[in-house]
Amino acid sequence: MTKRNTAQRRHAILACVNAEGEVSVEALAQRFDFSEVTIRKDLATLEKSGLLLRRHGGAVPLPVELLDGAVNISPAKRAIARAAVERLREHNRIIVDSGTTTSAMIPELDGKTGLVVMTNSLAVANALHALEREPMLLMTGGTWDPHSESFQGQVAEQVLRHYDFDQLFIGADGIDLARGTTTFNELLGLSRVMAEVAREVVVLVEADKIGRRIPNLELPWGCIDTLITDHRLDPADRRTIEAHDVEVVTVTVDDAESRR
C-alpha cells in the first residue's frame, strides 16, 4: 500500500463521515475492505490533523463552530508557496518555519527528490509525512508554544546550530518597510537562529501585510535575501524593500486560481 493510496483512502473516509454525519469503524472497514485496526489508525490520523472527531466505535464530523475557525489557504498564499518551491533544487537542505503560507509549500514538494527538511511545526511535519515522495524530515524539538503552534526555545536553537541549510522559508505577521519582518510572537530567538544557519532567507508574505508595523521585530532586512509576495505590492513599497538589497519576487493570482 503506497502513501498515495493511504491518502486517497483517508480522503474518502473523511468524505464519507462528512456526508453521513456519523460512521462506525465496522461500516468503514466493510466499505473500504480494510481491517478495523487500519481504519482506527486512519481515524486517529484524521483527528490529529483536525479533520474529524472520533467517537466510541466510529467518528463524526467536526462541529460547525470548529470548522468556521479552520485555516483558509488563500489563492495568493498558494501562488506564493509555488513560487517559493520553484526556487528549490533537488537535494536541497531547507528549513520550513511554521505558518499557513509556508505550510502551503508542502503539497508542491512531491515532485522534488532528495530534499532534507527541518521544521519546528507539527503540522508541517505531518504534511511532509503524507507525501508520496517523503523527504528526509528533521524536527527541532524544544518547548511547545501554543501561540505559534510550533516548537521554540533553547533546545530548538541548539539543534539548529548543529546543521547548515541552503534555504530558510519563513512567513511574517507584518513587514515594517524601515526595519524588516515583524511578528505578534515575542519568541524571536529561533527565527533568528534559523536565519543564521541558512545561506538564503526567503520571506513569504501576502502584499496586504506589507507596511503593517508590529512592535516585535523578527528579522531585520540585513538577514533577508528574498521576499516573495503577490501582485498587489505597491511599486513604491517594492522600491523601498529593494533598497535594502532584498530581491523582490511578485506572483500573479489568476482567475482560475481564485476559484480553486
Side-chain angles (χ1 to χ4, degrees):
M1 178 57 63
T2 67
K3 287 188 176 181
R4 183 178 296 276
N5 289 336
T6 298
Q8 290 173 344
R9 183 181 70 249
R10 289 173 178 171
H11 179 78
I13 289 171
L14 180 62
C16 180
V17 171
N18 287 334
E20 300 186 17
E22 181 171 3
V23 185
S24 69
V25 170
E26 181 181 3
L28 290 169
Q30 292 175 355
R31 178 174 302 190
F32 295 101
D33 194 24
F34 277 87
S35 71
E36 292 187 9
V37 172
T38 297
I39 297 299
R40 288 193 183 93
K41 289 180 180 178
D42 290 337
L43 295 180
T45 299
L46 290 168
E47 183 181 53
K48 185 181 293 185
S49 299
L51 298 174
L52 53 70
L53 295 176
R54 284 188 293 171
R55 290 290 183 263
H56 180 69
V60 297
L62 282 177
V64 174
E65 58 269 22
L66 293 183
L67 286 172
D68 288 343
V71 172
N72 178 37
I73 304 299
S74 69
K77 288 181 179 180
R78 288 195 294 264
I80 291 167
R82 282 199 298 273
V85 172
E86 288 174 0
R87 302 180 70 86
L88 279 175
R89 297 179 180 176
E90 293 185 349
H91 304 286
N92 267 16
R93 298 162 60 89
I94 67 174
I95 307 171
V96 179
D97 191 24
S98 61
T100 54
T101 311
T102 49
S103 296
M105 294 176 58
I106 306 308
E108 308 294 332
L109 295 180
D110 229 351
K112 301 291 184 178
T113 60
L115 291 180
V116 177
V117 184
M118 170 75 82
T119 186
N120 61 332
S121 165
L122 286 179
V124 169
N126 287 333
L128 287 167
H129 183 62
L131 295 177
E132 184 175 18
R133 294 183 181 179
E134 182 181 350
M136 180 180 292
L137 172 62
L138 304 174
M139 290 289 296
T140 63
T143 302
W144 180 253
D145 172 42
H147 175 76
S148 62
E149 296 187 346
S150 63
F151 291 104
Q152 303 284 339
Q154 293 184 0
V155 170
E157 293 171 18
Q158 290 172 3
V159 169
L160 275 167
R161 286 194 170 102
H162 284 88
Y163 296 89
D164 65 283
F165 296 90
D166 297 298
Q167 292 157 305
L168 161 65
F169 296 94
I170 187 169
D173 293 322
I175 299 291
D176 185 323
L177 291 168
R179 300 189 300 160
T181 66
T182 57
T183 179
F184 293 109
N185 192 358
E186 295 184 354
L187 300 175
L188 306 170
L190 188 63
S191 298
R192 293 174 179 175
V193 174
M194 287 179 174
E196 289 174 12
V197 300
R199 295 183 182 87
E200 180 186 17
V201 176
V202 183
V203 174
L204 315 182
V205 65
E206 290 180 273
D208 57 7
K209 292 184 177 180
I210 294 175
R212 181 186 294 179
R213 300 179 66 182
I214 299 168
N216 300 321
L217 176 65
E218 188 169 28
L219 294 179
W221 286 120
C223 295
I224 299 167
D225 299 290
T226 305
L227 183 139
I228 304 178
T229 187
D230 61 77
H231 64 280
R232 296 171 297 164
L233 176 66
D234 184 274
D237 291 345
R238 180 182 190 128
R239 291 192 293 270
T240 300
I241 296 169
E242 290 176 334
H244 294 292
D245 199 25
V246 173
E247 178 187 1
V248 177
V249 177
T250 55
V251 299
T252 300
V253 184
D254 59 30
D255 292 339
E257 178 69 34
S258 298
R259 291 194 295 270
R260 284 181 60 180

